[in-house]
Amino acid sequence: MKRILVRVRPLQAGIAAVVLLLADAALAHGVAASDKAYIQSHPGTNIIPYIYLGAKHMVTGYDHLLFLFGVIFFLYRLKDVGKYVTLFAIGHSTTLLIGVLANIRADPFVVDAIIGFSVAYKALDNLGAFRTVFGFEPNQKAAVLIFGFFHGFGLATKLQELALSRDGLFANLVSFNIGVEIGQFIALSIILILMTLWRRSRSFDRSVLVANALLMTAGFVLVGYQLTGFAMEHGA
């Protein structure tokens, strides 16, 4: 029992650090001021800057990465990883493009709260909570696609903060989306390498419950921060 506690405590410390980072990300809530200033001072088609911005947002997007971590947690074959990641990409690419081009707006705090919930949902799914409590298991592929729509809408709200020029808008959006996919590929590659090493260790089976419980906690922390931000912004 003592050995288990020794192993769990470092994991708890690690998730605590992640939660603090999530808090900063949630409260910052938007595109970095330097990136915003650059984009707004360079109207027209800017392919490379938007690719950079998209990659940066994905690599530093803790909510997106935590969701992907949950999605691939029990996926051992690259073919399966590819299927789920493709569904996620289709989802977020669709709402990213439609959201900005059609100027569909929603409160970014509400959208990001749903994204945070997606993290908690995936952790609960990994733990078999839905089958245990409700007697059924949601369609995992459909869930990844649907939550992908919300993740893409979250990306759209960040771009809408930039007051984008209509000049070169479509090319810039496609470039941003390409950057998101590049960032996702880089982040996912790192996660897969670390997951593969972890799965080969003796501690993996013993850590499944703890890891997903902490993932669920991180998701609900994200939800809490976003709803707090919503309440503060609207004077509730």
Side-chain angles (χ1 to χ4, degrees), residues 3 31-32 43 57-58 83 85 91 97 105 110 113 120 132 148 159-160 169 180 193-194 200 208 219 229:
R3 290 182 179 177
V31 179
H57 187 82
M58 177 56 75
K83 288 180 181 178
V85 172
L97 293 171
R105 293 182 176 271
V110 174
T132 301
L159 283 178
Q160 287 168 338
L169 179 60
V180 167
I193 291 171
L194 295 176
R200 291 175 179 174
V208 167

Side-chain angles (χ1 to χ4, degrees), residues 164-178:
L164 298 174
S165 169
R166 305 302 293 186
D167 181 21
L169 179 60
F170 183 76
N172 289 337
L173 284 178
V174 172
S175 299
F176 182 85
N177 195 61
I178 291 173

Side-chain angles (χ1 to χ4, degrees), residues 15-117:
I15 201 66
V18 171
V19 166
L20 289 175
L21 290 172
L22 288 173
D24 290 339
L27 293 177
H29 195 81
V31 179
S34 59
D35 294 331
K36 183 182 294 186
Y38 179 86
I39 291 298
Q40 292 179 342
S41 63
H42 292 77
T45 303
N46 292 284
I47 293 176
I48 300 302
Y50 274 90
I51 289 177
Y52 162 78
L53 188 62
K56 178 182 178 182
H57 187 82
M58 177 56 75
V59 171
T60 59
Y62 306 106
D63 45 5
H64 305 303
L65 298 182
L66 285 173
F67 180 69
L68 285 174
F69 172 74
V71 168
I72 70 170
F73 195 88
F74 284 124
L75 298 181
Y76 292 88
R77 298 187 303 176
L78 285 177
K79 182 172 72 172
D80 293 329
V81 172
K83 288 180 181 178
Y84 280 88
V85 172
T86 298
L87 285 171
F88 182 64
I90 291 172
H92 71 64
S93 297
T94 300
T95 46
L96 166 62
L97 293 171
I98 293 176
V100 177
L101 290 174
N103 198 29
I104 301 173
R105 293 182 176 271
D107 191 291
F109 286 106
V110 174
V111 175
D112 283 351
I114 296 173
I115 291 174
F117 175 73

Side-chain angles (χ1 to χ4, degrees), residues 1 6 10 40 44 50 111 121 132 167 176 185 189 191 193 199 202 221 228 235:
M1 183 66 178
V6 168
Q40 292 179 342
Y50 274 90
V111 175
Y121 160 83
T132 301
D167 181 21
F176 182 85
F185 177 79
S189 297
I191 292 173
I193 291 171
R199 286 166 177 164
R202 296 179 179 178
V221 166
T228 299

